[in-house]
Every structure is written in C-alpha cells, then in structure tokens.
Amino acid sequence: MTQKFFDRLLLIISTCCLLAILQISFFHIPFNWFNFTNSSIEKTNDIIYSLATSFIAGYIFYVINVQIVTYLREQKTRKLIDNYLIDLATEIQVGQLYLSKTYFSSKKFDSLTLNDFKTLTSLGKSQINFTYKQTNTLGNVRNCSTGTFSEIDLYFEEMDMVKNNIQTVFSFPYISSVDYDLINLLHKIQSSFFYIGVKHIKNGITYLDFEKHFFEHYENFKELKKHVTPRLTE
C-alpha cells in the first residue's frame, strides 16, 4: 500500500464518518436495518457517533502533524532536487555549446541527425581554449573558460559532475514526486554508453561506434530540456 493510497483511504473513511455524524445529528435517520427497539436504535447511533467523532479527531491530528509536515518537507526537498537538476543540465549544456560552435556552427543545432555525427568517432586531446558566458541564479553574467582542458577533459568533467548530481537526486526522499519520465531519462543519461566511451577514450582505449553514442547523448539532452531549463549559457 503506497502512502498516497493510504491517505486517500483515510480521507474516504473520514468523509463517511462525517456523513454519519451529520445524518445522526440533523437528519435523524437511524442506523438500524433490523427490528430493534427505540432504546437499541439510540444506543447503536450513539456508538456509531462516538466512533465517527473519534476517527475524525484522529484524522485531523494526522493531517496537521503528518500530512502538512510531510508536504512542507516534500516542497523543500523538491526545490533542492530542482537545483541539482538545473546544475546538471547546465553542465551538459556547456558540452553541447562547445559541440555546436566547434562542429556545427553552420547548421541548426536543434535539428541534427545521426549522419551529422559520423566524423565524431573520438575526442581530441589537445587544448581547446573554449570560452563562453553563463548567467547565474542572481542574473549576473560571468565569463567562463575551459582553461587547459582538451575535449576529453571537458566531457570527462561533465560526466563526473552529472553522475554525482544524478546520484544525489536519486538519494533524496520524496524522489517519487518527480515525474517518472524524467527519472527514467536521468537513469539513461547516468548509464549512457557516451559516458562509458568518454571514460575509455580518457584511458587511451578506442571505443567503437562512439559517434552513435554521441548522438544519443545529444538527443538525451534535447529531451532533458523539456523537463529542466538550464541556466543561460552562450
């Protein structure tokens, strides 16, 4: 039994109890389908009234001390989860921006196909000197640079941060409140063959069909942007 199902069940029972109290107090319809005496009917109604009142009192206590507190905690946790999601989406966006400006500057980046990635069979080891601007949460624009990073270093750092952030997101309580499709997508990104390929290339190992996995990573990021808006990076 899930928590939501349990809460709905309590709400339904409490509603029935409230209706029972109203009909006994105001409509005076006895809870008696047998040929009881008036005294027996009155006792039956008293028992049902007492049970219904006690249940509603307990339900009110549960709502105040459990449901409301849980809801507030869930909202705070969801805000933290959203921050981690924005961070990982922004980190991936840096690599996608480099990809766009370096290899696809003459093409519409949102409409690439697998055929466009056919030359991206590996990652370069030389320094790339890539610069970009990024807007932080306060709206301030800062100039950023990859410094002495090569392509391998750029995507390896992305892999490290993204995987750590996803693992942190998965460890939060109330993760079940996050959209299922987003959770499934995060798992795909975390366990993607693209990051396995980056790790292999970093270790000097040739990784077959890397261009296909590069394209898959590109597609995953396009899908991620439907759920999460990364910080402005250009």
Side-chain angles (χ1 to χ4, degrees):
M1 181 184 296
T2 64
Q3 185 63 43
K4 287 186 177 180
F5 178 81
F6 179 72
D7 289 341
R8 290 194 185 106
L9 181 61
L10 289 180
L11 178 60
I12 292 171
I13 296 174
S14 297
T15 302
C16 292
C17 289
L18 179 61
L19 292 174
I21 291 173
L22 290 175
Q23 76 89 15
I24 291 174
S25 301
F26 299 100
F27 303 114
H28 306 295
I29 302 174
F31 283 103
N32 176 35
W33 295 273
F34 302 98
N35 190 22
F36 286 168
T37 63
N38 289 335
S39 175
S40 297
I41 293 173
E42 185 176 344
K43 288 180 180 179
T44 302
N45 286 348
D46 287 343
I47 292 172
I48 294 176
Y49 185 90
S50 296
L51 289 174
T53 303
S54 298
F55 191 92
I56 290 177
Y59 180 69
I60 292 172
F61 179 84
Y62 174 77
V63 169
I64 294 173
N65 291 276
V66 178
Q67 284 191 328
I68 293 177
V69 172
T70 300
Y71 173 78
L72 294 175
R73 287 176 179 171
E74 184 176 332
Q75 291 301 107
K76 289 181 180 179
T77 302
R78 185 55 199 264
K79 188 174 291 186
L80 283 173
I81 290 174
D82 288 343
N83 288 338
Y84 275 96
L85 292 175
I86 291 172
D87 284 345
L88 74 87
T90 303
E91 185 67 22
I92 297 176
Q93 184 168 249
V94 173
Q96 296 297 302
L97 181 65
Y98 169 78
L99 191 65
S100 173
K101 290 189 174 182
T102 306
Y103 295 101
F104 303 111
S105 58
S106 61
K107 295 188 176 183
K108 188 176 180 181
F109 190 66
D110 289 335
S111 305
L112 300 178
T113 64
L114 176 58
N115 191 56
D116 294 317
F117 282 74
K118 63 183 179 181
T119 59
L120 298 175
T121 57
S122 188
L123 296 172
K125 298 180 180 179
S126 57
Q127 186 173 325
I128 56 178
N129 297 315
F130 180 59
T131 59
Y132 57 95
K133 294 181 179 180
Q134 195 169 86
T135 305
N136 62 21
T137 53
L138 299 176
N140 299 323
V141 178
R142 62 190 183 96
N143 295 316
C144 304
S145 171
T146 57
T148 59
F149 273 14
S150 64
E151 286 183 352
I152 297 176
D153 297 327
L154 174 65
Y155 290 105
F156 190 84
E157 183 182 69
E158 174 193 311
M159 176 191 72
D160 192 46
M161 176 175 283
V162 167
K163 285 194 171 189
N164 286 337
N165 278 15
I166 292 176
Q167 195 60 41
T168 302
V169 167
F170 285 167
S171 69
F172 274 116
Y174 314 118
I175 187 63
S176 59
S177 65
V178 178
D179 182 75
Y180 172 79
D181 290 336
L182 176 55
I183 294 295
N184 188 47
L185 178 60
L186 292 176
H187 176 71
K188 283 176 61 179
I189 293 173
Q190 185 185 41
S191 58
S192 68
F193 286 110
F194 173 73
Y195 285 145
I196 296 175
V198 169
K199 191 173 182 179
H200 277 66
I201 294 171
K202 177 79 170 176
N203 294 328
I205 303 172
T206 301
Y207 197 73
L208 297 178
D209 296 327
F210 183 69
E211 69 280 3
K212 295 180 181 178
H213 306 312
F214 214 150
F215 177 70
E216 181 186 5
H217 184 62
Y218 158 80
E219 289 283 286
N220 285 340
F221 180 64
K222 284 172 61 178
E223 188 66 25
L224 181 63
K225 287 194 295 183
K226 296 178 182 177
H227 300 275
V228 183
T229 303
R231 285 187 287 274
L232 181 61
T233 305
E234 54 189 4

